[in-house]
Amino acid sequence: MDKTDNKSLNLAELTDIKSLNLAELKEDIEALGEKKFRAAQIYDWLHKKLVTSFDEMTNLSAALRERLKERYELVCVHPVDVRTSKLDETKKFLFELNDGNVIESVWMKYNHGNSVCISSQVGCRMGCRFCASTIDGMVRNLRPSEMLEQVYRIQKLTGERVSNIVIMGSGEPLDNFDNLLRFLELISDENGLNISHRNITVSTCGLVDKIYELADKKLQITLALSLHASNDETRRTLMPIANKYTIKEELDACDYYYRMTGRRISFEYSLVSGVNDSEEIAYELAGLLKGRNCHVNLIPVNPVKERKFMRTNYDKIMKFKNILEKCSINATIRRELGMDIDGACGQLRRSYHESASNK
Ligand code: SAH
């Protein structure tokens, strides 16, 4: 089966229909000499019924469907591997894009609903020392349609409604800012899946200028900052972004985000044995965050075979958490899901590439 309706055409000349908002689509469809209401029908097929071909749009004439194929690229993601955890039903999807790149997304079942973790770029250029996604750098940004499609395809494949989205897969979402904003617009559109911004978390390694820009949009999304250290010196050993911005600058940007949106900031803190997990550091972290309406998400570092970092043992993680709580800082230990299926960021994509190059 052809992956898209228009495989034989030059995709570069076609408009990415799934990245258009309804107003743009209306304008475009009218320019084709069609009635405006056709745009609403098409939008409904794309963003509510989640079809993967123009031929499924059965309330359009065959002639119109042909015209659409000539003008638009229908961006879809194609599952090339799906792994289900035997431990907790978490599913990891490896999706192929129309240009042959692969990305990964994760589906997680929680009591409060299903959550999907999506990628925002193919690879990543941020260079965090413990992360598998960044090892080979960034290939390209994902388009809004490709971010949407991860959610759409997973909802179709699982047959279950997605209620929460975390943009914590491969890539740095704020490094793909405009496409991220369009994604946030379309995923929350009442004519589409209508997922509330309050159920969406955007995680950043800390692109300070972009945090300010996002804050000014006053969206109701949760911002998660990957902090991972309580002082600049340690942060610089883990994350190159710390050479550009100090923790003080990061926290000032987060405070501004909170002031503009009223949304509590979430700080991610991956515990790396012997690097950032001592009791003194827990106190230092508590001092740093004191007085803020925030939440700390403690993540036992997921060992990546290309990296030498070791995870902190459970007792020590509990101690770290207790110190934060004693100092009135909200903290939780991230439930580890899908440990048996290459759970960490970028690991499944890497193992896929490795097995392909060994063939
Ligand atoms: N670029 C964004 C979002 C993607 S990573 C960011 O940096 O926030 C999502 C989270 O997983 C980040 O907090 C990241 O630092 C963390 N992470 C990446 N690899 C990890 C690993 N091997 N173990 C634990 N946390 C990891």
Side-chain angles (χ1 to χ4, degrees), residues 247-265:
I247 290 179
K248 162 124 186 21
E249 289 170 313
E250 299 286 0
L251 295 180
D252 285 349
C254 290
D255 290 345
Y256 182 76
Y257 189 89
Y258 178 65
R259 280 202 302 280
M260 296 305 277
T261 63
R263 302 289 292 165
R264 190 174 77 155
I265 305 290

Side-chain angles (χ1 to χ4, degrees), residues 209-229:
D209 51 338
K210 295 292 175 192
I211 294 176
Y212 282 103
E213 223 176 306
L214 186 65
D216 285 334
K217 306 279 177 206
K218 297 194 168 81
L219 304 178
Q220 284 297 296
I221 53 175
T222 298
L223 181 71
L225 178 81
S226 298
L227 187 58
H228 305 323

